[in-house]
Every structure is written in C-alpha cells, then in structure tokens.
Amino acid sequence: MVNELVQGILLGCYYALIACGLSFTFGVLRIINLAHGSIAVLGAFVVWTIAEQWNISPFLALVAVAPFMAAAGWVLQRTVLERSLRSGALTPLLSTFGLAIVIDNLLFSKFGADTRSMAPNIGDLAFASWNLPGGVTIGQLALLTAIVAVALLGGLQLFLARTPLGRAIRATAEDPDTAELVGIDSRKVYAAATAISMVTVAIAGTFLALRATFDPYAGSAQLIFAFEAIVIGGTGSLWGTLIGGIVLGVAQNLGSQISPQGFLIGGHLVFFAVLAARFFIAGRSPGSLVRSLRRTSP
Amino acid sequence: MTQAQPIVVQRWNVLSIAAVTSLVALLVALAFGPTYLGPNLTDRITTLFIYVILAAMWNALAGYAGLVSVGQQAFFGLGAYAAIRLSNAGINVYLALALAPLIVGAASFPLSALALRLRGGEFAIGMWVFAELAHLSVNLDGLVQGETGTSLIALSAFAPDVRRACNYWIALALMTALVGLVFVLLRSRTGAAIQAIRDNEEAAASVGVRVFATKRLIFVLAAAGCAAAGSLTLSTLISFQPKTYFSVQWTAYMIFMTLVGGLGTFEGPIIGAVIFFVIETIFGASGVWYLVGLGASALLFSLFLPRGIWGTLTDRFGIHLMPVGYRLRFGSGEPR
C-alpha cells in the first residue's frame, strides 16, 4: 500500500513534467494547445532518432535538440498561435487540433506503427532501483524524473519571479496592451514564452520515451494526462500542476489495484470529482496564473 | 432634406424561396433513393446523411453556442452502445436504434450541469476526458467483451436489401428531422438568443438572454444528434467495436466538415459534409496522407478562412439561401 502510494507520487511527477509546458502556455497565452501531446511525442521521436543515429546518450541528444525545439516554438507562435489568437477564443483550439492531426499522421508516415522506447539506450538506469524498508521500491529513473520535474517547475517559477524576461512575461500575461505602453514587445514575449514551453515539452517527451514506450499516436493520451494534472491542481499555477500530477498518479495507481482498467478510470474519476468539487462546493475560484504570479513577486 | 425612409423587415426573398423549394424537391427525390440507386450507392448516401447530421450537430454546438468539443465521439459511441443494450434486453431492434439517441440525450442533461461550467479549452478537453471515461466504462460491460466488441445480431433477421433500404430511409428521416430542428430553432425566439450568445455572451446575458438554459438546449440536442449518428452507423456496420466508435477521429471529421463549410452558418456544415464525403470517396483509401490533408485543411481554414467556404461567400455576396435570419431593406422611396 505504501509502495503503491510512492509509485503514484513518482508517476505523478512525470505527469507534472508533461503538464509543465501546457500550464505555462495556458497561463501566459490563455490558450490550451491541443497539439501539446503530439509535440511531446514529436520531440521524443527526434531525440530517439539522434540518439540512435549517432549512438549517443539520450540526454546528450536532448541537449542538442533543445535549441531546435525552442526555434520551433518561436515559429509555431509566429505562424499559428499569433494568428489564431487574433481571430477569437475558439480559433486556437481548432488550429492546434488540426496541427495535432497533421503531426500524428506525419510521424506515422515516417516511423510507422511500431512502438519504441529509449530505455535500452540508458543501460542500467532504466531498471535499477533502491529497495527501502517497508517493501518500498524507488526506481532510479523515476526518481530522476521527479527531480527534473521539481527542478523545472521551480526553475520556471524563479525565472518568472526574478528575471527581466520573466517580469515581461508576467506583465504581458496580465495585460498585453498595458505591457506595450511600458515598452514591452508583446509579440516577442509571447514567442519567447512558447519557445520556453517547447523546450520543456522536449524534456517531457524524452522522459516519456525513457520510462515507457511511445508510438506516433501516443500524443493524445499525454495531452489528456497533462490537462488533468493542470485542472486537478488549479488552472495556471505551476506548483498546483505538480500537486495535480501527483494526485492523478496516485489515483491511477490506486485504481489499478481494483481492476486492470481501473488505472485510467481512477484518474478520470478524480478529474471529474475535482471539477465537481470546484463548482459545487468551493464555488467558482480557479486560481489563475496571474494571481499565483502576483503572489511570487516580492 | 433628410427624411427617414421606410424600412421593411424581410425574412423571405426570391432566392430563399427558390432554395427552399429546390431543397424540398431534392428531399422528395432522395426519399425514393433506394428504388433507383444501386445497393452500393444507397449505402454511400446513407453515410452522407450521417455526416450531415454530425456536421450540423457540431456546428450547432461550436458555431452557435460557442462550445468547441473534442469529445462528441462520446455520444456517438454511447448511441451505438445504448442500441446494443436495448436490443439485447429484448426490445425490437429498430425501436432500440430509435430510442438510443433519446436516452443518450436525456443522460447528457445532468452532464451539462458540469460540462457547461467549463470555458473554452477546458470544455474542449473536458469533453474528451468524458469520452475516454465513457469508452472505458462501456468496455467494462460484459456484453461488449472489451475491445473485442459485439454485434447487433437482431439485425441479421432482416434480408440485406430490406435492411439497406430501411437504414437509408431512417437516416434520411433523422437527418431531415435534426437539421430541420436546427432550422426551426434558429428561426424561433431561441434562435435569436442563440445567435446573440454566439456573437457576445456577456452582452446577450445583459439584455436578458438565458445563456445557460440556451446553451444546455444546444448541448442536449447535439448529444442526441451525435448519438443518432452513432446508432445509424451501427445499423449500417452491425458490428460494435468500442475503439472504432469512441475514436476522436469522428470529432476530427466533424471539425473538418464544419470549418470547411462554414462555422456558424446554417448551410455551411451541409456543404462541408458533401465536400468531406467526396474527398473521402476519392482519397479515403490513401490512408495516412488523407488524414494529414484533413488536419492541414482544418488548420489552414481556421487560420485563413475562419468563416469557411459558405461563410466567406455570404459575407462577400450577401447570399442567404435558408431564411434563418432577417434582413432590413429600404422600402418604397427614391434611392439617393
């Protein structure tokens, strides 16, 4: 039981990692990028290809890929998101959904239906674990994922609170027009935010490929997990996303104790329970990023 | 000297009378379809009717109520599942197929209380999560046997020819009824409320439109309509595999049809469904590139032609075939 809880928490940290970029873009741009999961899987495929081709560690491949993902994020913002944002609240959903279909099927045409994993590329790390008293097992890779997730979320929070670009992003998230008045180029800020988000997506995609298998159509499941983590934790708050991910992971692990299908059902049920609680018990109070950002500023 | 010109409120004009007349003539001609279309074509046109239903329902939801859902496959799948369940309980199979959408529509009512409080993207993916949950729950039913699926065995009691013609007529009748219902809704007082919500929710609420109740009406209608499409699809395919029916692909098709035809127009989704039907017939076999094309079209239309083909045409030339709105025209008097 204790072990299940620990495994759930570790799994939840992975969900927080995959949700990080989605939470960040949602907080800054106020849109939900429906291509988020597909882009993570795209990142996983790119990292996998480089690691295989040059026979290097996936972590080294990730470092090489990260700048390109940042550039891709910049382009994505300038070509798709910026235009979508101008034409109303619904358009970003439609355009990013179309983009997700394009990415999934292009990946399928290039890589086929085979499921892949990068676990063989990291040797012992994939399966080594520590046995703790009380029957608790902690996988080294799972712990590394958790450390990266916490470091990334904490790093982003610090970045937003302390750096000039972070301040510009917070200002733009709150009110782009007023931010323009004090000399902030909101187009640049949005593009930078999307670039940062894409780097976190590449990191998440790499960990997806390390800890499990992936295939061209794996994106939609990742999008759903990421979204559930965000909603459970409270929309737009980065630390909330970590808590949301952990709640989701624990619920899934407990669900799987009841029945094989209980893994996914448990997660979905907690998601709806949290929504219902949010609307009917606590009243409507979604913590917005702006509010949580204000709290972090001195 | 300025004198106010008399203004006439107009609903019908020559064009819309001609359009409605030819539409009725087309429907009458289609009603005799099975007598002159071959078996293959009868099946294909039945599929087209299902596409029109799906597109019209998604458009009612997104184009009028402003609710983009990525989870309409939930109702599509539940419609088919409800028909299987009812038929298994000993109810006449065609009655089961007809009752299924009503049951799903009724079931969507309590769901709306939760779903309609979500905004924008939250609603979109929230509905997707609901579809996943519905899929997993249906898999738990012993009758369905997980992903193996089951069949609507009772239908095999009918000869293939009879079944084909029945499917065709039921699909035609349901399409006419559902699209007709949207037409009547749009022309009614509720229609004015719906279009006001589409244009600006807060402003609509401020002039006394009951936003939540109106949205809920559309939500339930779209759920029942998608369930009808699911139950019709089951009647043509007979087999029920949860994976096929609860696939997000169905919503992708709905989005494509509505976006290409014209989001938020009455005629657009019907045109979009015909376009999709033709594209599918020609390119459907080319697999993955066909899907890439659909996704790319949805992306490009949403960015560069957000009003779709029909919406762009009406904006440019002011053509309105179906009299769902009003027009103001200067009455008699000298034009200046």
Side-chain angles (χ1 to χ4, degrees):
Chain A
M1 188 63 193
V2 178
N3 188 40
E4 288 313 317
L5 213 62
V6 171
Q7 301 311 320
I9 292 170
L10 289 172
L11 177 65
C13 288
Y14 164 71
Y15 291 146
L17 186 58
I18 190 102
C20 176
L22 191 66
S23 181
F24 190 68
T25 6
F26 184 67
V28 178
L29 292 164
R30 300 291 155 76
I31 60 168
I32 289 187
N33 175 7
L34 291 181
H36 179 81
S38 303
I39 295 172
V41 173
L42 172 72
F45 268 106
V46 175
V47 169
W48 174 80
T49 309
I50 289 175
E52 287 282 305
Q53 288 279 319
W54 298 349
N55 202 16
I56 57 171
S57 152
F59 299 110
L60 208 58
L62 173 62
V63 172
V65 167
F68 293 97
M69 285 298 278
W74 189 283
V75 173
L76 175 73
Q77 170 61 27
R78 282 295 166 93
T79 53
V80 176
L81 301 182
E82 190 179 289
R83 213 186 164 87
S84 308
L85 275 167
R86 276 205 303 267
S87 26
L90 301 183
T91 314
L93 292 171
L94 301 171
S95 59
T96 54
F97 186 68
L99 183 66
I101 297 173
V102 172
I103 292 174
D104 288 358
N105 288 291
L106 282 180
L107 284 175
F108 181 81
S109 74
K110 177 93 178 78
F111 296 100
D114 297 346
T115 55
R116 293 186 167 81
S117 175
M118 280 201 285
N121 302 41
I122 49 169
D124 285 355
L125 182 61
F127 50 84
S129 62
W130 294 290
N131 291 314
L132 301 184
V136 176
T137 316
I138 293 186
Q140 293 186 0
L141 180 62
L143 188 65
L144 179 65
T145 311
I147 293 169
V148 170
V150 173
L152 198 60
L153 287 163
L156 272 181
Q157 198 83 341
L158 267 181
F159 161 77
L160 284 172
R162 304 251 179 259
T163 65
L165 180 57
R167 276 195 290 276
I169 289 177
R170 278 189 288 141
T172 313
E174 193 151 349
D175 188 342
D177 295 332
T178 311
E180 293 263 350
L181 288 180
V182 294
I184 292 171
D185 183 347
S186 66
R187 287 182 70 206
K188 263 193 191 141
V189 168
Y190 281 149
T194 315
I196 292 167
S197 155
M198 284 303 113
V199 173
T200 73
V201 172
I203 297 170
T206 306
F207 276 92
L208 163 72
L210 289 173
R211 57 184 299 283
T213 59
F214 63 105
D215 65 71
Y217 295 112
S220 60
Q222 305 308 312
L223 170 69
I224 287 178
F225 293 149
F227 175 73
E228 286 179 331
I230 292 174
V231 170
I232 293 171
T235 318
S237 145
L238 287 173
W239 288 122
T241 300
L242 181 65
I243 294 165
I246 289 173
V247 171
L248 178 66
V250 169
Q252 289 184 338
N253 259 10
L254 294 183
S256 70
Q257 299 298 298
I258 298 164
S259 104
Q261 285 102 328
F263 183 78
L264 291 172
I265 293 180
H268 296 331
L269 285 179
V270 162
F271 167 78
F272 279 112
V274 168
L275 273 187
R278 179 171 127 193
F279 293 136
F280 295 110
I281 299 165
R284 255 205 116 205
S285 61
S288 76
L289 179 62
V290 176
R291 236 177 296 154
S292 79
L293 290 175
R294 269 199 217 115
R295 256 179 264 130
T296 60
S297 52
Chain B
M1 146 148 192
T2 54
Q3 195 193 341
Q5 277 185 322
I7 291 175
V8 180
V9 179
Q10 202 179 35
R11 175 148 251 178
W12 294 87
N13 65 7
V14 181
L15 190 62
S16 62
I17 292 170
V20 171
T21 314
S22 38
L23 189 72
V24 171
L26 178 68
L27 284 175
V28 171
L30 281 173
F32 293 97
T35 58
Y36 57 85
L37 299 166
N40 246 335
L41 213 52
T42 308
D43 278 343
R44 290 296 298 151
I45 301 290
T46 308
T47 308
L48 173 61
F49 295 156
I50 296 173
Y51 290 162
V52 172
I53 293 176
L54 288 174
M57 292 303 113
W58 202 82
N59 180 52
L61 206 54
Y64 288 114
L67 298 162
V68 169
S69 162
V70 193
Q72 290 308 100
Q73 68 272 19
F75 305 114
F76 186 85
L78 286 175
Y81 169 69
I84 295 248
R85 259 273 152 226
L86 290 173
S87 166
N88 189 256
I91 294 174
N92 172 288
V93 63
Y94 278 105
L95 188 62
L97 286 168
L99 280 177
L102 298 178
I103 292 175
V104 174
S108 75
F109 194 83
L111 175 68
S112 70
L114 187 60
L116 290 180
R117 283 166 203 266
L118 298 173
R119 312 235 133 225
E122 288 194 321
F123 176 79
I125 316 191
M127 289 304 295
W128 198 351
V129 175
F130 172 71
E132 293 291 308
L133 189 59
H135 179 183
L136 292 164
S137 312
V138 165
N139 277 358
L140 288 180
D141 186 340
L143 179 67
V144 177
Q145 309 170 63
E147 289 299 348
T148 320
T150 180
S151 311
L152 195 59
I153 315 145
L155 264 186
S156 44
F158 298 86
D161 278 354
V162 177
R163 211 160 60 206
R164 183 174 293 118
C166 279
N167 290 342
Y168 178 94
W169 280 316
I170 297 172
L172 176 63
L174 276 176
M175 176 189 77
T176 312
L178 284 165
V179 175
L181 198 59
V182 174
F183 180 71
V184 171
L185 257 181
L186 287 180
R187 279 172 63 93
S188 71
R189 196 182 158 77
T190 313
I194 291 168
Q195 304 194 34
I197 293 172
R198 172 194 62 186
D199 294 339
N200 188 332
E201 202 172 309
E202 278 79 27
S206 74
V207 293
V209 170
R210 293 170 63 217
V211 174
F212 192 84
T214 312
K215 279 186 166 184
R216 186 164 58 196
L217 179 70
I218 300 274
F219 183 83
V220 171
L221 171 69
C226 289
S231 133
L232 284 169
T233 304
L234 176 68
S235 75
T236 59
L237 297 179
I238 297 182
S239 68
F240 177 76
Q241 270 131 358
K243 219 181 209 153
T244 320
Y245 285 81
F246 286 101
S247 164
V248 72
Q249 205 106 305
W250 292 106
T251 294
Y253 293 164
M254 294 182 223
I255 293 181
F256 172 85
M257 293 187 280
T258 314
L259 271 181
V260 169
L263 184 67
T265 65
F266 178 79
E267 300 88 339
I270 301 172
I271 295 166
V274 174
I275 293 173
F276 174 66
F277 176 74
V278 172
I279 291 176
E280 192 202 29
T281 310
I282 301 172
F283 298 108
S286 57
V288 64
W289 288 104
Y290 155 72
L291 294 170
V292 171
L294 288 188
S297 318
L299 175 61
L300 293 175
F301 267 89
S302 67
L303 290 182
F304 299 104
L305 214 56
R307 297 267 292 147
I309 293 172
W310 186 252
T312 308
L313 284 178
T314 53
D315 289 352
R316 187 155 300 173
F317 302 109
I319 317 164
H320 296 272
L321 292 183
M322 291 294 122
V324 288
Y326 294 98
R327 247 159 306 182
L328 297 181
R329 178 152 294 180
F330 290 117
S332 54
E334 287 299 307
R336 280 167 293 180

